């Protein structure tokens, strides 16, 4: 593997024990391997939102863009459409992606635009000190729900599967090797890919022991089988005490949004190129 330097001199301000460190390390390893296999790093653009997760782009020496809360997906989509040749990877928290930004995720999945979304799903708002999010379990006690939330959590992978996502996976911030493999597969996938990472928030929702006891590797599984994927995704609803599968649940190759978009708009693009050529020669 090439000895590329992906880190920066930015001071890391995540809490000691935070699962974001494992996500950062797994991502660095995945990118280093992809780079050694031929992916130019200058062709990678990262987008992050608002929250503890967002600082990840400060710790990576790659092209990056901070978007606003809930808007990682549309920013990533815009970058991809402007330059379809680059790899666009969005990082978002569970509040960011599954709360404020959920409608964007649904439409990105439906379009099958070729971007990768990595969700730091710690099931709590960490940066704002412990409010419940769409994936917090029933009864979660936090700043905004001192007597326990009365809502059931959403199963984001089930929602994404129903929305048309063509690559869906889950990892944890406790298994870097598996997470690295999942990140690589998601980035290489042609189409909309989403990785839900069960990231432990050491300060406001420490689930290390719980996940350790419940997770297992999806070894015998056909990711091309929609019904099998749905069954495995439904095995754990983010609330029950059942086993939690990790790995790639679903993978399907169909034309991407930008392929459809560009072929449909080829005439308009050819016209724009001609206009630009005319303008350049006229100046
Ligand atoms: Fe990590 Fe939670 Fe601390 Fe944020 S508040 S840095 S998610 S441990
Ligand atoms: Mg969160």
């Amino acid at each position: 593997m090439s000895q590329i330097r992906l880190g920066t001199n930015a001071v890391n301000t995540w809490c000691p024990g935070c699962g974001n460190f494992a996500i950062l390390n797994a991502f660095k390893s995945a990118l280093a391997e992809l780079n050694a296999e031929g992916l130019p790093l200058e062709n990678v653009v990262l987008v992050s939102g608002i929250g503890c997760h967002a600082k990840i782009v400060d710790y990576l020496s790659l092209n990056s863009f901070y978007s606003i809360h809930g808007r990682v997906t549309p920013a990533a989509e815009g970058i991809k459409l402007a330059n379809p040749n680059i790899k666009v990877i969005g990082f978002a928290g569970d509040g960011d992606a599954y709360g404020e930004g959920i409608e964007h995720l649904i439409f990105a999945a439906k379009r099958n635009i070729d971007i990768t979304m990595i969700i730091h799903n710690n099931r709590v708002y960490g940066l704002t000190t412990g409010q419940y999010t769409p994936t917090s379990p029933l009864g979660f006690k936090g700043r905004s729900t001192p007597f326990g939330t009365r809502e059931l959590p959403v199963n984001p992978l089930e929602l994404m599967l129903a929305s048309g996502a063509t690559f869906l996976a889950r990892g944890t911030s406790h298994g870097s090797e598996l997470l690295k493999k999942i990140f690589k597969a998601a980035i290489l996938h042609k189409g909309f890919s989403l990785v839900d990472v069960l990231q432990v928030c050491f300060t406001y929702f420490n689930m290390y022991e719980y996940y350790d006891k419940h997770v297992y590797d999806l070894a015998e599984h056909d990711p091309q089988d929609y019904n099998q994927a749905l069954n495995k995704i439904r095995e754990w609803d983010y609330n029950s005490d059942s086993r939690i599968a990790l790995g790639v649940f679903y993978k399907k190759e169909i034309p991407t949004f930008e392929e459809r978009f560009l072929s449909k708009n080829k005439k308009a693009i050819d016209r724009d190129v001609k206009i630009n050529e005319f303008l350049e020669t006229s100046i």
Side-chain angles (χ1 to χ4, degrees):
M1 196 199 313
S2 68
Q3 295 300 308
I4 53 164
R5 184 177 178 274
L6 279 170
T8 68
N9 294 328
V11 175
N12 193 308
T13 56
W14 286 328
C15 308
C18 175
N20 281 327
F21 288 101
I23 297 178
L24 175 64
N25 289 335
F27 186 76
K28 275 185 185 170
S29 302
L31 260 267
E33 287 188 15
L34 288 172
N35 178 245
E37 291 161 17
L39 174 69
L41 294 180
E42 61 271 24
N43 285 6
V44 175
V45 175
L46 312 178
V47 183
S48 71
I50 301 295
C52 296
H53 80 273
K55 300 174 190 173
I56 196 166
V57 301
D58 293 339
Y59 311 140
L60 289 160
S61 56
L62 293 162
N63 298 309
S64 61
F65 178 83
Y66 262 102
S67 67
I68 54 175
H69 205 210
R71 307 295 177 248
V72 176
T73 315
E77 289 183 274
I79 294 168
K80 183 68 184 179
L81 279 182
N83 187 349
N85 295 321
I86 55 179
K87 287 277 178 201
V88 187
I89 301 160
F91 293 95
D94 47 321
D96 199 313
Y98 302 147
E100 285 83 349
I102 190 62
E103 73 283 16
H104 297 301
L105 269 189
I106 290 170
F107 276 87
K110 174 181 171 297
R111 291 177 184 129
N112 194 35
I113 187 161
D114 184 14
I115 60 172
T116 296
M117 292 295 296
I118 294 173
I119 314 301
H120 301 226
N121 185 3
N122 54 15
R123 310 171 72 200
V124 66
Y125 283 98
L127 194 69
T128 50
T129 67
Q131 296 80 7
Y132 81 105
T133 73
T135 51
S136 303
L138 181 69
F140 172 83
K141 287 185 183 163
R143 290 253 172 164
S144 56
T145 51
F147 302 107
T149 171
R150 302 289 191 263
E151 294 177 28
L152 283 162
V154 70
N155 182 335
L157 292 173
E158 186 173 350
L159 181 61
M160 287 293 96
L161 186 69
S163 303
T166 53
F167 182 104
L168 290 169
R170 183 193 289 133
T172 67
S173 57
H174 221 169
S176 282
E177 191 54 33
L178 178 62
L179 199 54
K180 178 195 75 181
K181 281 189 199 153
I182 291 173
F183 284 164
K184 281 183 74 178
I187 294 165
L188 289 173
H189 176 71
K190 191 165 80 72
F192 179 81
S193 54
L194 182 137
V195 183
D196 183 61
V197 186
L198 298 174
Q199 174 242 319
V200 168
C201 171
F202 199 74
T203 304
Y204 295 108
F205 196 32
N206 188 348
M207 297 285 279
Y208 268 121
E209 280 184 23
Y210 184 86
Y211 290 147
D212 257 5
K213 272 191 206 142
H214 289 76
V215 296
Y216 73 96
D217 196 341
L218 256 180
E220 300 294 316
H221 173 68
D222 176 8
Q224 316 235 340
D225 184 330
Y226 185 97
N227 290 326
Q228 218 184 101
L230 182 59
N231 286 339
K232 281 292 170 191
I233 284 172
R234 280 185 168 165
E235 196 173 55
W236 181 56
D237 61 2
Y238 290 70
N239 195 61
S240 58
D241 208 24
S242 50
R243 299 197 310 160
I244 303 172
L246 303 179
V248 178
F249 291 94
Y250 190 61
K251 180 172 167 53
K252 177 173 142 186
E253 295 276 340
I254 57 169
T256 63
F257 178 67
E258 55 276 24
E259 283 171 348
R260 294 190 192 117
F261 185 85
L262 291 173
S263 65
K264 190 79 185 154
N265 290 279
K266 187 161 185 336
K267 270 190 189 162
I269 291 166
D270 288 347
R271 183 203 59 204
D272 288 350
V273 168
K274 278 187 189 146
I275 291 171
N276 283 339
E277 282 170 1
F278 170 75
L279 289 173
E280 277 167 19
T281 52
S282 307
I283 294 169

